[in-house]
Amino acid sequence: MSALPNKIPTKRRLLLASDRSDQSSELASILQAVGQVDTIATSAIPDSPARDLSGIVVDINLRSAESVQIVRNKLRADAYREVPRLFVLADALHHGSMQAWALGATDTIARPFDAQGILQRIRAAFPDTDSYDETDRGKALNRGVEAAHAVMVKIFKKLPAGVPLKFSDIVEAENKIIKAIKHSSLREWLTTVGCHHTDSYRHCLFVTGFAVAFAQHLGMRDDDQRRLARAALLHDVGKAFVPVDILDKPEPLTLEEMEASVAMFDMLMGKGESGSRREWMEAKGNTVEADI
């Protein structure tokens, strides 16, 4: 029998985008322990990521409107939708954390740096295929995310196509979600979701994770945890018949796109046609900013 060839481990390639005067040299030296690090200014973030890029680490002043806008404009491109992103917080204050999550953070780290803690976060946020978590804990987490994702597919794709959403589908998913977060953590749930989902799906799965983790933190009974998980999974069901392309569109909606959304709202509210609403939108202008 011939010997199996040794598998060469994949080395992460990380992009460190910084607006700091020292180019985040301390952080770069820590990251080099787990991968190749390319440090650039935020204004130099390429329009498209390299094919072998594992993820992007963003170290900027989250209180600077200019810095935030530069990063937002760069990372909102379709090419970066699936790229995990880790943001550096100057402190543990609420504002920086919320700004990072609004920019699509997969995870966050904070100063002062704890090298071992950062390396653990990097390994979780930018996983290697070679080190895929096959432990029971990892399997439970993956099954929970997959179950929640399956419900999103039923809501946003199958329901508009006339396939009913069954109560049993929700019950099956909520049990797996509760087990996933109980045996891992909210941070791991958010990290896993952030690595594989974007926009509407990501929002719904984030809400579900926060709701279940909050219920478990409060020590709620299992039945109440399931009710909260169910409510979180279904909280955006009213958007089911609005095309996902409209829900996830980063640019302002056109009049026709906004009208499609309003027509669905009117149908749900039993108002029928929305002709008067069209006149109102035309009076306001040809485009309306999406706030979905």
Side-chain angles (χ1 to χ4, degrees):
M1 179 184 291
S2 61
L4 292 174
N6 292 328
K7 191 172 185 181
I8 300 174
T10 303
K11 190 172 184 180
R12 295 174 181 83
R13 181 179 177 186
L14 305 175
L15 187 65
L16 173 56
S18 172
D19 68 356
R20 293 174 59 88
S21 58
D22 64 353
Q23 293 189 307
S24 305
S25 56
E26 179 189 2
L27 179 57
S29 65
I30 294 173
L31 297 178
Q32 285 167 0
V34 291
Q36 175 187 336
V37 181
D38 299 320
T39 303
I40 60 173
T42 52
S43 58
I45 296 175
D47 293 334
S48 297
R51 279 186 153 187
D52 59 345
L53 185 68
S54 301
I56 182 169
V57 180
V58 181
D59 188 7
I60 64 171
N61 179 3
L62 289 168
R63 291 186 176 275
S64 166
E66 180 181 0
S67 294
V68 168
Q69 191 60 45
I70 289 173
V71 171
R72 177 181 287 116
N73 290 341
K74 293 286 187 178
L75 299 187
R76 75 191 308 177
D78 288 343
Y80 280 97
R81 284 198 172 194
E82 302 296 334
V83 177
R85 54 194 74 173
L86 185 147
F87 278 75
V88 180
L89 307 179
D91 46 48
L93 294 179
H94 179 74
H95 176 273
S97 179
M98 289 299 98
Q99 187 66 268
W101 292 117
L103 290 170
T106 302
D107 201 351
T108 61
I109 57 177
R111 286 187 168 83
F113 294 138
D114 167 24
Q116 290 304 314
I118 289 176
L119 296 182
Q120 289 177 3
R121 296 283 183 84
I122 290 293
R123 293 186 181 102
F126 309 142
D128 288 333
T129 54
D130 294 337
S131 59
Y132 186 75
D133 190 359
E134 286 291 349
T135 63
D136 289 340
R137 172 174 171 164
K139 288 179 180 178
L141 177 61
N142 292 326
R143 280 195 288 262
V145 173
E146 288 167 3
H149 173 260
V151 173
M152 295 303 104
V153 171
K154 289 183 172 80
I155 291 175
F156 290 105
K157 292 186 177 180
K158 294 188 176 182
L159 194 58
V163 180
L165 180 64
K166 299 178 182 177
F167 182 69
S168 58
D169 295 334
I170 307 299
V171 172
E172 180 182 358
E174 65 195 32
N175 287 330
K176 292 180 180 179
I177 293 166
I178 290 170
K179 182 178 180 180
I181 296 178
K182 181 178 181 180
H183 292 286
S184 57
S185 68
L186 173 61
R187 183 174 296 280
E188 288 173 288
W189 174 273
L190 297 178
T191 296
T192 303
V193 169
C195 286
H196 302 291
H197 300 282
T198 58
D199 301 318
S200 293
Y201 282 22
R202 174 187 283 179
H203 164 74
C204 292
L205 298 184
F206 274 4
V207 169
T208 301
F210 276 114
V212 172
F214 181 64
Q216 292 178 355
H217 176 72
L218 294 180
M220 288 185 177
R221 299 177 304 172
D222 288 348
D223 284 349
D224 291 331
Q225 289 184 34
R226 283 193 286 271
R227 289 190 184 96
L228 203 54
R230 194 177 310 152
L233 282 170
L234 297 174
H235 85 277
D236 266 347
V237 71
K239 299 177 182 177
F241 289 84
V242 178
V244 174
D245 288 345
I246 292 180
L247 293 176
D248 293 345
K249 184 179 179 182
E251 298 84 14
L253 299 183
T254 64
L255 178 62
E256 290 71 22
E257 289 169 337
M258 180 58 75
E259 194 172 35
S261 303
V262 172
M264 182 48 56
F265 171 80
D266 285 344
M267 186 190 79
L268 290 172
M269 298 299 292
K271 295 181 180 180
E273 296 297 326
S274 55
S276 60
R277 196 73 59 90
R278 178 185 178 89
E279 294 171 1
W280 179 84
M281 287 190 295
E282 287 176 339
K284 292 291 183 182
N286 290 329
T287 59
V288 183
E289 288 284 349
D291 184 21
I292 297 174

